[in-house]
């Protein structure tokens, strides 16, 4: 048997979001929030802000950043921080009272990209072993700010050919300039804390500090900025469900099958 429910979502920044009420018994309800990555690059350090006329008391697979007068900001729990292209995350919740008829409003992402100020971090390099043809080194990134550096990416120039990092991923290199991304488990650098990035480079010899260093982070805002949202319908079927939404003159459909 097919059932239909109204939802509200958005398509922006390569993200599609929808809310589904799975059980409503009058005094309370449970449901899911689905976040889809419709783009070609990972969604990093995801978060979601929305307004809702019900008290959401518990979440699964997400943490509450802020809750105030029917406004919510939720975020990932670390292990599910990034959404690969074509992938999605499921967030469970419970709330009260039941008999939910109106969907959330002003649904929007709450994650922002920020370039850290040079005064907010320090990068040090030391050689741990050198045998002439190549060397092993350690790059230490220290957080000097009073806030966490979340989901960081480090860009820098270096006068050696870096073959690999053991505790980070090289996601870009061009003419001696590198882009290095956290390895997931070390994505957050707390205030006053450091991460050590072991690497191998060649040739060996005297090593200069990295040049033109830029540290970028994806952080979750605590503000309640608002944007327009889209209306969404969902049809559940035995083999999965179909999402349909509209954006001005364009119509979209998204099929999710088991």
């Amino acid at each position: 048997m097919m059932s239909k429910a109204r939802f509200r979502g958005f398509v922006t920044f390569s993200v599609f979001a929808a809310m589904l009420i799975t059980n409503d018994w009058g005094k309370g309800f449970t449901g899911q929030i689905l976040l889809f990555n419709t783009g070609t690059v990972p969604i990093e350090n995801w978060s979601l802000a929305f307004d809702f006329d019900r008290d959401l008391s518990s979440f699964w697979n997400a943490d509450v950043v802020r809750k105030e007068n029917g406004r919510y900001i939720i975020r990932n729990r670390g292990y599910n921080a990034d959404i690969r292209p074509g992938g999605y995350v499921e967030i469970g919740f419970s709330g009260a009272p039941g008999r939910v008829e109106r969907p959330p409003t002003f649904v929007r992402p709450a994650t922002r990209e920020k370039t850290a100020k040079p005064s907010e971090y320090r990068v040090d390099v030391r050689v741990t072993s050198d045998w002439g043809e190549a060397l092993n080194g350690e790059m230490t990134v220290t957080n000097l700010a009073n806030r966490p550096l979340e989901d960081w990416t480090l860009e820098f120039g270096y006068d050696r050919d870096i073959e690999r990092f053991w505790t980070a991923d090289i996601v870009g290199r061009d003419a001696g300039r590198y882009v290095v991304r956290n390895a997931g488990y070390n994505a957050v650098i707390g205030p006053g804390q450091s991460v050590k990035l072991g690497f191998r480079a060649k040739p060996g010899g005297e090593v200069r500090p990295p040049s033109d260093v830029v540290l970028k982070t994806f952080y979750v805002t605590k503000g309640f900025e608002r944007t327009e949202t889209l209306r969404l319908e969902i049809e559940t079927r035995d083999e999965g469900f179909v999402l349909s939404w509209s954006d001005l003159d364009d119509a979209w459909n998204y099929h999710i099958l088991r």
Side-chain angles (χ1 to χ4, degrees), residues 60-228:
W60 298 269
N61 297 328
D63 290 324
V64 178
V65 175
R66 187 176 177 186
K67 174 182 175 182
E68 182 180 309
N69 299 324
R71 296 181 179 181
Y72 297 85
I73 298 177
I74 62 174
R75 62 168 298 159
N76 65 83
R77 302 201 70 183
Y79 60 83
N80 60 353
D82 299 338
I83 310 175
R84 61 178 176 79
Y88 67 97
V89 295
E90 299 182 20
I91 306 149
F93 61 86
S94 63
R99 305 189 187 283
V100 179
E101 296 181 355
R102 291 187 295 179
T105 57
F106 300 107
V107 184
R108 68 275 186 197
T111 299
R112 305 287 186 269
E113 184 178 15
K114 179 179 180 180
T115 299
K117 299 177 181 178
S119 60
E120 294 181 320
Y121 65 95
R122 185 180 70 246
V123 178
D124 300 304
V125 177
R126 72 183 185 95
V127 175
T128 57
S129 61
D130 187 336
W131 57 97
E133 294 181 357
L135 60 83
N136 288 334
E138 187 176 75
M139 190 173 294
T140 302
V141 183
T142 302
N143 183 358
L144 304 178
N146 58 6
R147 62 177 179 85
L149 299 176
E150 299 185 62
D151 213 8
W152 55 266
T153 299
L154 193 66
E155 302 178 11
F156 58 91
Y158 203 53
D159 66 350
R160 293 291 190 278
D161 178 18
I162 300 178
E163 295 181 348
R164 65 179 182 272
F165 278 87
W166 289 288
T167 52
D169 297 320
I170 299 176
V171 295
R173 66 171 80 207
D174 182 25
R177 186 157 185 84
Y178 296 85
V179 181
V180 177
R181 187 175 182 273
N182 68 82
Y185 65 87
N186 58 0
V188 179
I189 310 174
Q193 296 181 345
S194 302
V195 294
K196 297 183 182 298
L197 313 177
F199 66 91
R200 175 165 294 176
K202 60 182 182 181
E206 182 181 358
V207 174
R208 298 184 181 90
S211 61
D212 301 320
V213 179
V214 177
L215 181 69
K216 295 182 179 180
T217 67
F218 287 88
Y219 74 100
V220 178
T221 179
K222 295 183 179 180
F224 285 120
E225 301 91 346
R226 291 180 170 184
T227 58
E228 292 300 320

